[in-house]
Amino acid sequence: MSDAASTGRPEPDPRGEILVTPGAFADMDGWHTRVAELRRDNPVALVELDGWPRFWAVTRHADVLEVSRRADVFHNTTRSAPGPDVQYDVLDAIGIKPSSLVHIHGDVHQKHRQVTNDWFKPAAVRRLQPAIEAIAAEFADRMADLDGNCDLAADIIVPFTLRVIMKIYGVPESDEALMLELTQGLFGAADPEYLGDFSDPLTLITDTVARFQTYFDAITEDRRAKPTADLATVIANGVVDGLPLGDNERLWYFIIVATAGHDTTSYALSGGFEQLLRHPDQLAALQQNPDLAGAAAEEMIRWTSPVRSFMRWAFEDHELGGTRISKGDAVLTSYPAANRDPDVFERPMHFDIFRPDADRLLSFGLGVHYCLGSQVARREVRTLLSAILDRVASIELAAEPAWAESHFVSGVKHLPVSYTMR
Ligand code: HEM
């Protein structure tokens, strides 16, 4: 008798491998075509791969929504960021236990989230707007110095989002190169371009976490001695249940905001810009009516879905979309798949800044782990978009873009454009 027959589980679906294959994310059109078939035929698909925990691939909007909302059933754990077993075994062996907000659950999570919650409330984020605008204007000006040709992703967008997160943290611009290297080391480890001299992604990740620790330990020491009004001070002095955040929890708090706050937003901008350049009619509408920037930002974030998935773990049996999930099973929520679900979005495979259903986007997740920085991200996307379109008279693709190969956070990493300034 097959394993499937003896356990009552369906047969594994080999098509699910695409959800965790780094290289597959370098061809998102092909990825979406194949995932659309999976979503249609087998929306909660069992996936079994060598070296990975067995997981259920969840590709329908309604099911991703349910997993996200039912935090009582589906818990975040130290293995919430999808990765092969060896990744976690090595981190365990060297004593690094991922403990950021996305790795913890329940009351503990709520208490840790509370440490920075005020910082990310709409009123606080509104106060950041002048700084975001100033940084956006600086990078739009930088385009003028680049003689009508640049890599919009690497030259403008990435340093822009990085500068914003550095500003929020209150750390100097001189640390930007290091921070860029470290965030790419963590999220882009599988991409050959970011691997550098490292023999394999795992060694790079391990080295990166150690370097993050050295960097943030020094900042912690400084902000404890000389508190300021920045976010680094809030995390360095964070208290839960009357006690300072543990060393490991503090390190991962710093890491999650630095990484989640940077690569994600830059991929939304680069991939969103790519689509605007491929749709000159929408670009022209946006240039004529800057009030459309908010709607355009939403569509850019839906279209790109830079966070590709998270892994949740079932703490009790549960029926999801007609499929029985057993206690102990892993469930992978695919945000790009949910964001192209034809049951929710009209013409989901079309980029459309005028879409009526933009508010259904799931790029930021939902429920208790809903993206803490969604308001910052939205402001960054629409502010840089407006600043660039305000400064350029015309802009077009100069060559095909290049895509990052990563199954966790990825998107367009190089976007060659040519343009004329006003
Ligand atoms: C377009 C940009 C972004 C996207 C697509 C994105 C996406 C996400 C997603 C999918 C989650 C998990 C949600 C869930 O499990 O339900 C998340 C969590 C998180 N994000 Fe973002 N994010 C973005 C930008 C940012 C920014 C700018 C920051 C910080 C400045 C940030 C900080 C965080 C943090 C701290 C969490 C963990 C929240 C928790 O577990 O309680 N993100 N984000």
Side-chain angles (χ1 to χ4, degrees), residues 314-330:
F315 270 61
E316 58 187 68
D317 293 351
H318 187 80
E319 191 169 303
L320 181 68
T323 300
R324 185 188 157 81
I325 309 289
S326 301
K327 181 176 175 180
D329 283 357

Side-chain angles (χ1 to χ4, degrees), residues 101-102 109 113 120 165 256-257 260-261 264-265 268 306-307 310 312 335 363-366 368-373 377 380:
L101 290 181
V102 301
H109 166 256
R113 190 165 161 127
F120 289 101
I165 201 71
I256 183 82
V257 177
T264 51
T265 315
V307 176
F310 265 110
R312 301 285 209 266
Y335 303 112
S363 308
F364 294 115
L366 211 85
V368 293
H369 288 275
Y370 181 73
C371 175
L372 194 56
E380 284 185 62

Side-chain angles (χ1 to χ4, degrees), residues 7 12 14 33 69 113 130 145 182 213 322 352-353 355 375 391 414:
T7 58
T33 305
R69 281 193 174 134
R113 190 165 161 127
D145 301 333
L182 295 185
Q213 184 160 18
D352 180 5
I353 64 171
R355 70 173 40 260
Q375 294 303 320
R391 295 283 275 119
H414 297 297

Side-chain angles (χ1 to χ4, degrees), residues 79-393:
R79 298 190 170 202
S80 296
D85 291 329
V86 62
Q87 178 172 316
Y88 294 98
D89 293 348
V90 169
L91 290 181
D92 279 354
I94 58 173
I96 296 178
K97 183 177 168 220
S99 319
S100 80
L101 290 181
V102 301
H103 299 106
I104 52 180
H105 169 74
D107 277 359
V108 176
H109 166 256
Q110 282 306 299
K111 287 175 183 171
H112 280 75
R113 190 165 161 127
Q114 210 52 44
V115 169
T116 54
N117 215 30
D118 285 353
W119 240 92
F120 289 101
K121 282 189 174 150
V125 172
R126 242 192 322 273
R127 284 201 293 275
L128 293 174
Q129 185 63 24
I132 297 176
E133 276 172 19
I135 299 170
E138 186 186 330
F139 282 96
D141 282 347
R142 186 180 285 186
M143 288 179 73
D145 301 333
L146 291 170
D147 282 344
N149 281 292
C150 75
D151 176 344
L152 196 63
D155 294 334
I156 305 297
I157 290 171
V158 169
F160 162 75
T161 56
L162 186 61
R163 179 76 51 89
V164 173
I165 201 71
M166 301 296 274
K167 183 90 191 165
I168 288 174
Y169 263 150
V171 295
E173 287 173 22
S174 51
D175 291 353
E176 280 177 9
L178 174 67
M179 188 61 78
L180 180 62
E181 197 188 321
L182 295 185
T183 49
Q184 287 175 341
L186 206 61
F187 278 174
D191 187 298
E193 180 177 340
Y194 302 135
L195 202 52
D197 295 334
F198 287 89
S199 54
D200 63 282
L202 202 56
T203 325
L204 172 56
I205 290 176
T206 314
D207 180 79
T208 302
V209 172
R211 291 173 69 200
F212 262 128
Q213 184 160 18
T214 307
Y215 181 74
F216 285 125
D217 277 356
I219 289 184
T220 299
E221 203 175 310
D222 179 72
R223 295 306 195 281
R224 284 180 175 170
K226 294 174 279 175
T228 70
D230 59 32
L231 184 61
T233 299
V234 175
I235 298 176
N237 296 286
V239 170
V240 167
D241 286 338
L243 294 172
L245 281 174
D247 288 347
N248 199 40
E249 282 74 18
R250 194 184 61 251
L251 167 66
W252 282 94
Y253 219 126
F254 273 121
I255 291 180
I256 183 82
V257 177
T259 51
H262 166 223
D263 272 13
T264 51
T265 315
S266 53
Y267 285 131
L269 271 158
S270 58
F273 255 107
E274 184 222 3
Q275 284 304 307
L276 284 171
L277 301 177
R278 292 194 193 278
H279 294 88
D281 51 332
Q282 296 185 44
L283 184 67
L286 197 50
Q287 278 193 300
Q288 276 157 22
N289 181 2
D291 289 346
L292 290 172
E298 294 297 288
E299 178 63 346
M300 289 160 82
I301 295 168
R302 178 194 77 93
W303 181 267
T304 53
S305 290
V307 176
R308 304 314 197 177
S309 60
F310 265 110
M311 202 76 103
R312 301 285 209 266
W313 297 76
F315 270 61
E316 58 187 68
D317 293 351
H318 187 80
E319 191 169 303
L320 181 68
T323 300
R324 185 188 157 81
I325 309 289
S326 301
K327 181 176 175 180
D329 283 357
V331 170
L332 179 136
T333 51
S334 174
Y335 303 112
N339 276 334
R340 302 284 178 102
D341 186 339
D343 285 347
V344 173
F345 297 101
E346 269 178 37
R347 302 172 77 226
M349 300 299 186
H350 287 80
F351 179 84
D352 180 5
I353 64 171
F354 300 103
R355 70 173 40 260
D357 39 32
D359 60 341
R360 307 287 307 276
L361 69 80
L362 269 181
S363 308
F364 294 115
L366 211 85
V368 293
H369 288 275
Y370 181 73
C371 175
L372 194 56
S374 67
Q375 294 303 320
V376 177
R378 289 180 150 118
R379 277 180 192 276
E380 284 185 62
V381 173
R382 61 176 189 259
T383 306
L384 186 67
L385 179 63
S386 299
I388 291 178
L389 295 187
D390 187 48
R391 295 283 275 119
V392 299

Side-chain angles (χ1 to χ4, degrees), residues 5-72:
S6 66
T7 58
R9 274 194 298 270
E11 291 289 344
D13 192 327
R15 294 175 297 178
E17 184 172 1
I18 195 172
L19 296 167
V20 292
T21 305
F25 290 87
D27 167 21
M28 282 311 279
D29 288 343
W31 188 93
H32 276 297
T33 305
R34 289 164 64 191
V35 171
E37 283 171 21
L38 186 65
R39 186 178 49 231
R40 186 193 59 212
D41 305 341
N42 194 5
V44 182
L46 188 62
V47 183
E48 289 187 357
L49 301 171
D50 282 349
W52 277 75
R54 184 178 57 225
F55 65 88
W56 298 92
V58 182
T59 46
R60 243 179 357 205
H61 190 280
D63 298 332
V64 171
L65 206 64
E66 183 172 339
V67 172
S68 308
R69 281 193 174 134
R70 293 297 308 269
D72 55 329

